[in-house]
Amino acid sequence: MNLLIVESPGKINKLKEILGSGWNIKASYGHIRDLPSNELGITDNFEPNYIVIPGKEKVVKELQEAVKQADTIYLATDPDREGEAIAWHLKELLNLSNYKRVTYTSITKQAVLDSINNARTINMALVKAQEARRVLDRFVGFSTTPSLRNALSEQVSAGRVQSPAVRLVVEKERAIRSFRVTQHYGVEALFDEVDNVQDGWKATWKTDNFLEPGQEYILDKTVAENIAKIRSLEVLEYEESENKKAPPAPFTTSTLQQAASQKLKLTPKNTMAIAQRLYEAGVITYMRTDSPNLSDEAYAEIQSYALEHNLPVADERRVWKSKDGSQEAHEAIRPTDITVEDLEANEEEQQLYKLIRERALACVLKDAVYFRKQAKLKGLIEAKEVLFEAKGSLLTDKGWQVIYNDDEEIEESNPIPQLKIGSIIIIQTTNVTTKQTKAPSRYTQATLIRELEKKGIGRPATYASILSNILDKDYIREDDKNKLSATALGEKLLDALYDNFSFIDLDFTKDMEQELDDIAENKSTYQDLVSKTHKILTEEIDAYQAKTAIPCPKCNKPLKHLKGTSDNTGKPYDFFVCESCNTSFNNSNGKPIERTQNITEFTCVKCGANLVHLQGKNKENKPYDFFTCSNKECDATYNNIDGKPVEKPSENKGKMTDYTCKKCGSKLVERPTKTGGIWFPCSNRDCDGKYWAKDDGTPNFDNKPTKKSTTIKAKRK
């Protein structure tokens, strides 16, 4: 029996159709190991300490059982750095000494079988590049967050790429805020018939030689009014030309996200989710790619299809230049079968497929052709030369535009007649035009992605998650017109990062992306990049803490400032805590005032403050022994179970049971679900164990992950 391990369960049904019997196909459900969430997880020698991702234990067990029954094991995770890293984690975790690494960029019979016949070993350079990215992201996020939260008294966090993305939006917002409208003037000349050509063409005054030093616009209306008195102009230049416009390249990850946003009003996150389903259904090639070019085979197939359908095929094949820093391991996004026009799928899936198909088909077609005319005209006013310019355009051959419209603005037609150089033409009428400068436009998700790519920040495959992240954290917001604006929190965070941390510098972030590429290409090493960046970051954090920290009145170590609103009670809290000597302080106008309670090492799950252990007898001489929160604004109390605080059960929180958690052995709590059922979470707040109930009301310790399958199918004619 052969075992094929993929990332997504959505691919399994399609692969079973292709491979048939003799194959067992299992999914890892994405990453199987990662750094721990509650600690840095990186040694002093910069070695990552990976753990099985909580909740993946069941998946690991199933994979281990499948490995025991397999003769040959194929690791078929996605064909990118993340996929290569997942394959390596599977190899390490499952202790595979005899494995085969296979990759394919489309789930078709030919592509899958070819990949199996050309299996290889894991590319450790790609693994190290992904590992460096993950470790650097952890260093930035995990290391800077405590200092930023302390200094800002906000639940903020920084990111190696997310923070530069926030910076772009904040700086745009501030440019809009500081913008002042400038009213300026121009002149438009309309012409009567010339050599029996109908009237209606126009020319615009070129203001350059009338501007004062440092001026961009004509601010004095009387100057424009004087120009408008000119009644005739001499033809200085006249040109006719045939201009060709090539089709846009097939989609990369970035351009697909941009086009889907503009044409289909899809967010990048939704676009990538839909594209993932199309890929898993086998109808498009892999959707994470920087390459704008098709493979030779695909180009030939699409070209042949276009010829068969009498489309205007280009005489020569085009090759598009990739952007600097592109990773071109895969071809551009395209249909796996260009003859498939329609899908049995939902509306969004159909629309995105149609967009991908038309863009791929357009790339083999002829250029669109425009007939352009351009004239430069001269007049005089008070012996000073006045220049006018006229431009006109007419589409004479649609070419690729019979298939695809890229929505770029085409210059409006202006029926300029044939003009003779040196001839004098009479102006029919002139208009003084009044214009106002416009504030910079806010980014949309599509234009922010374009700017990130232009500046070399991040990689296209990460843009959707970056935008989702900074929107969810309320650093930026999106209005009903899809415009992005910075929030006060986003601006506050950025101000804290400016001049303090290198990763907020756009060039620094861009250069780091290149260094990650160098690791992938064996031009540099993981240790070199990670150690260098860690040194810079450590020095910057130390300097920032020295600048912003408030010392503990007891031990002089930096205090941690906790401020926010309790998720459970809705009550605000604002206090200081010293993690060195376990002392908490009230906040009095920004100064720590010591509390009189004895503080324990346990922290409140509601607000994060340290807990106080209370023991004694009440007025009725009844003993009490429990924990309460040291934050006076928080009303959390806890039972004392074996010397540790355990949340008190209530009607909403459920009741303690005698069932024990299979992960840690603690007792389970019976709680109601919103639909009237019950479930069993672990009472140990450090354990993530949770179990659904069986029909008999007992915990189901064999919870199984939900499996989803695609219903996308090609409609064959």
Side-chain angles (χ1 to χ4, degrees):
M1 175 69 70
N2 294 316
L3 172 63
L4 185 78
I5 303 177
V6 296
E7 287 185 41
S8 170
K11 303 173 185 176
I12 292 177
N13 288 341
K14 184 68 177 179
L15 288 167
K16 283 182 177 178
E17 291 178 15
I18 293 171
L19 295 174
S21 61
W23 285 85
N24 185 16
I25 305 173
K26 291 288 185 180
S28 69
Y29 293 81
H31 278 275
I32 204 81
R33 296 197 307 180
D34 197 5
L35 300 172
S37 61
N38 59 348
E39 59 178 294
L40 182 62
I42 303 164
T43 69
D44 292 340
N45 294 324
F46 307 115
E47 292 298 325
N49 175 29
Y50 293 114
I51 62 169
V52 173
I53 296 172
K56 287 290 186 78
E57 296 85 359
K58 181 76 171 178
V59 177
V60 172
K61 186 175 180 180
E62 288 184 357
L63 291 174
Q64 288 171 336
E65 291 299 320
V67 166
K68 291 177 184 178
Q69 301 169 17
D71 298 316
T72 309
I73 301 160
Y74 294 86
L75 301 177
T77 48
D78 287 346
D80 54 18
R81 290 181 193 173
E82 293 293 320
E84 203 72 14
I86 293 171
W88 177 75
H89 282 292
L90 288 168
K91 169 186 170 292
E92 295 292 302
L93 186 62
L94 301 175
N95 196 26
L96 304 179
S97 57
N98 185 19
Y99 72 92
K100 295 184 178 182
R101 171 72 171 126
V102 297
T103 59
Y104 40 79
T105 57
S106 60
I107 306 179
T108 61
K109 186 172 184 178
Q110 186 67 45
V112 172
L113 294 180
D114 283 349
S115 71
I116 290 172
N117 292 329
N118 293 279
R120 58 174 173 81
T121 58
I122 291 172
N123 184 331
M124 287 307 298
L126 295 181
V127 173
K128 283 298 181 182
Q130 187 276 340
E131 189 169 66
R133 179 184 294 277
R134 184 70 187 95
V135 167
L136 291 173
D137 287 344
R138 173 54 64 96
F139 276 150
V140 171
F142 203 93
S143 301
T144 62
T145 294
S147 300
L148 290 168
R149 290 182 177 180
N150 239 18
L152 302 182
S153 302
E154 301 281 4
Q155 291 298 301
V156 295
S157 62
R160 185 182 61 85
V161 178
Q162 76 171 36
S163 294
V166 172
R167 171 179 178 167
L168 291 175
V169 179
V170 169
E171 289 181 340
K172 179 77 75 170
E173 191 69 24
R174 289 175 173 173
I176 293 170
R177 196 181 300 150
S178 62
F179 176 79
R180 297 293 179 267
V181 174
T182 299
Q183 185 164 292
H184 58 102
Y185 304 93
V187 176
E188 188 176 74
L190 303 176
F191 297 95
D192 205 342
E193 64 180 50
V194 176
D195 296 333
N196 297 318
V197 175
Q198 65 181 8
D199 61 358
W201 67 284
K202 60 188 178 182
T204 304
W205 172 37
K206 303 293 290 179
T207 62
D208 295 2
N209 62 331
F210 281 79
L211 295 173
E212 298 293 333
Q215 271 191 341
E216 294 183 58
Y217 309 103
I218 298 296
L219 306 179
D220 187 348
K221 188 176 182 180
T222 59
V223 175
E225 289 172 340
N226 285 335
I227 300 297
K229 295 175 182 178
I230 296 175
R231 300 268 55 91
S232 63
L233 297 172
E234 177 187 354
V235 179
L236 291 182
E237 298 176 8
Y238 174 75
E239 293 180 357
E240 294 180 354
S241 62
E242 184 179 82
N243 286 19
K244 296 181 178 181
K245 183 178 181 183
F251 283 127
T252 62
T253 304
S254 171
T255 56
L256 176 64
Q257 292 173 4
Q258 294 172 43
S261 175
Q262 293 163 350
K263 292 175 176 291
L264 307 179
K265 307 305 178 187
L266 294 173
T267 66
K269 184 177 181 180
N270 287 341
T271 297
M272 295 308 292
I274 296 166
Q276 177 78 33
R277 297 198 294 270
L278 294 173
Y279 169 65
E280 291 174 357
V283 296
I284 66 167
T285 55
Y286 193 55
M287 65 287 165
R288 291 188 177 91
T289 176
D290 288 349
S291 173
N293 291 298
L294 302 177
S295 67
D296 294 343
E297 181 183 4
Y299 192 94
E301 289 176 0
I302 295 173
Q303 185 183 56
S304 176
Y305 175 87
L307 288 169
E308 289 174 8
H309 288 76
N310 298 316
L311 295 172
V313 176
D315 296 329
E316 295 182 359
R317 178 177 177 175
R318 299 181 186 85
V319 176
W320 283 271
K321 185 180 183 300
S322 299
K323 295 183 181 296
D324 293 339
S326 293
Q327 302 165 23
E328 298 189 70
H330 332 300
E331 62 176 318
I333 306 168
R334 63 169 176 84
T336 55
D337 184 353
I338 195 66
T339 66
V340 174
E341 296 183 25
D342 300 307
L343 302 177
E344 293 179 6
N346 66 40
E347 184 177 356
E348 288 183 335
E349 290 162 350
Q350 292 179 45
Q351 289 178 335
L352 191 65
Y353 176 78
K354 182 174 184 286
L355 193 65
I356 292 169
R357 182 179 182 273
E358 290 179 349
R359 181 91 161 215
L361 186 54
C363 83
V364 307
L365 303 184
K366 288 184 175 180
D367 294 345
V369 180
Y370 294 86
F371 183 64
R372 299 185 186 273
K373 295 181 180 180
Q374 184 169 336
K376 184 178 288 186
L377 314 170
K378 182 183 77 171
L380 292 174
I381 185 167
E382 298 177 357
K384 188 171 183 177
E385 189 177 78
V386 181
L387 297 178
F388 280 75
E389 186 177 58
K391 293 181 179 180
S393 175
L394 179 65
L395 178 64
T396 58
D397 187 346
K398 285 189 173 182
W400 57 271
Q401 291 184 10
V402 299
I403 289 294
Y404 185 84
N405 179 7
D406 65 354
D407 289 340
E408 287 189 9
E409 291 186 9
I410 303 299
E411 190 178 334
E412 294 183 3
S413 179
N414 184 21
I416 304 170
Q418 284 190 339
L419 300 174
K420 295 179 181 179
I421 295 176
S423 62
I424 304 298
I425 54 176
I426 305 301
I427 298 174
Q428 179 183 1
T429 185
T430 54
N431 295 322
V432 173
T433 58
T434 302
K435 299 180 181 179
Q436 290 184 336
T437 54
K438 294 182 179 179
S441 297
R442 286 187 170 90
Y443 290 114
T444 62
Q445 291 200 40
T447 57
L448 181 56
I449 284 174
R450 184 186 305 158
E451 189 68 12
L452 287 168
E453 186 177 35
K454 178 182 176 183
K455 294 186 179 299
I457 299 170
R459 284 291 177 256
T462 66
Y463 291 152
S465 60
I466 291 169
L467 288 172
S468 179
N469 192 348
I470 59 181
L471 282 165
D472 290 346
K473 291 181 177 179
D474 199 35
Y475 301 150
I476 67 173
R477 288 178 184 162
E478 186 174 35
D479 62 21
D480 55 4
K481 295 181 180 179
N482 301 320
K483 299 292 186 180
L484 301 176
S485 60
T487 64
L489 182 62
E491 293 197 48
K492 187 175 182 179
L493 172 61
L494 191 66
D495 287 339
L497 297 174
Y498 272 136
D499 300 324
N500 291 314
F501 296 100
S502 299
F503 62 83
I504 199 63
D505 181 80
L506 303 183
D507 287 337
F508 182 91
T509 305
K510 176 183 177 181
D511 292 343
M512 187 175 291
E513 293 293 345
Q514 182 58 55
E515 290 180 280
L516 289 168
D517 293 344
D518 289 344
I519 294 172
E521 297 169 12
N522 273 320
K523 297 177 181 177
S524 182
T525 69
Y526 166 90
Q527 282 286 341
D528 287 345
L529 176 58
V530 171
S531 60
K532 177 185 70 174
T533 308
H534 179 263
K535 183 176 184 296
I536 294 171
L537 189 60
T538 301
E539 291 172 352
E540 291 174 343
I541 291 172
D542 289 345
Y544 184 72
Q545 288 178 340
K547 182 193 296 187
T548 61
I550 298 174
C552 173
K554 276 196 170 184
C555 68
N556 209 38
K557 295 294 178 65
L559 289 176
K560 187 175 183 179
H561 187 186
L562 299 178
K563 180 181 179 181
T565 302
S566 170
D567 292 335
N568 293 339
T569 66
K571 293 182 178 180
Y573 58 86
D574 185 356
F575 63 99
F576 296 94
V577 63
C578 180
E579 295 179 335
S580 180
C581 63
N582 289 328
T583 309
S584 64
F585 303 87
N586 290 324
N587 183 3
S588 177
N589 297 321
K591 295 181 179 180
I593 305 298
E594 187 174 352
R595 292 172 168 176
T596 58
Q597 302 154 318
N598 293 321
I599 308 296
T600 72
E601 62 182 1
F602 303 112
T603 55
C604 177
V605 297
K606 290 185 178 181
C607 70
N610 289 79
L611 299 183
V612 179
H613 186 191
L614 298 178
Q615 287 179 295
K617 292 183 179 181
N618 60 19
K619 293 180 180 179
E620 298 173 359
N621 205 34
K622 291 183 178 180
Y624 59 84
D625 184 352
F626 65 97
F627 292 86
T628 185
C629 184
S630 61
N631 176 14
K632 293 181 180 179
E633 303 298 332
C634 179
D635 61 354
T637 58
Y638 304 82
N639 287 328
N640 183 353
I641 306 294
D642 298 329
K644 294 182 179 180
V646 175
E647 287 185 81
K648 288 186 175 182
S650 66
E651 290 185 3
N652 291 331
K653 294 179 181 177
K655 61 183 180 180
M656 195 72 67
T657 72
D658 291 329
Y659 302 118
T660 56
C661 177
K662 295 300 181 184
K663 289 188 176 183
C664 71
S666 300
K667 291 184 177 182
L668 299 181
V669 178
E670 181 183 312
R671 291 185 180 176
T673 67
K674 293 181 180 179
T675 57
I678 58 174
W679 64 296
F680 296 89
C682 182
S683 61
N684 177 5
R685 56 201 175 94
D686 294 323
C687 177
D688 63 355
K690 51 182 178 289
Y691 311 89
W692 296 114
K694 295 181 181 178
D695 292 339
D696 62 3
T698 62
N700 179 7
F701 293 112
D702 294 321
N703 287 338
K704 293 183 179 180
T706 302
K707 295 184 178 180
K708 297 181 180 179
S709 59
T710 181
T711 58
I712 302 170
K713 293 183 179 179
K715 284 185 179 178
R716 304 286 181 183
K717 292 189 176 180

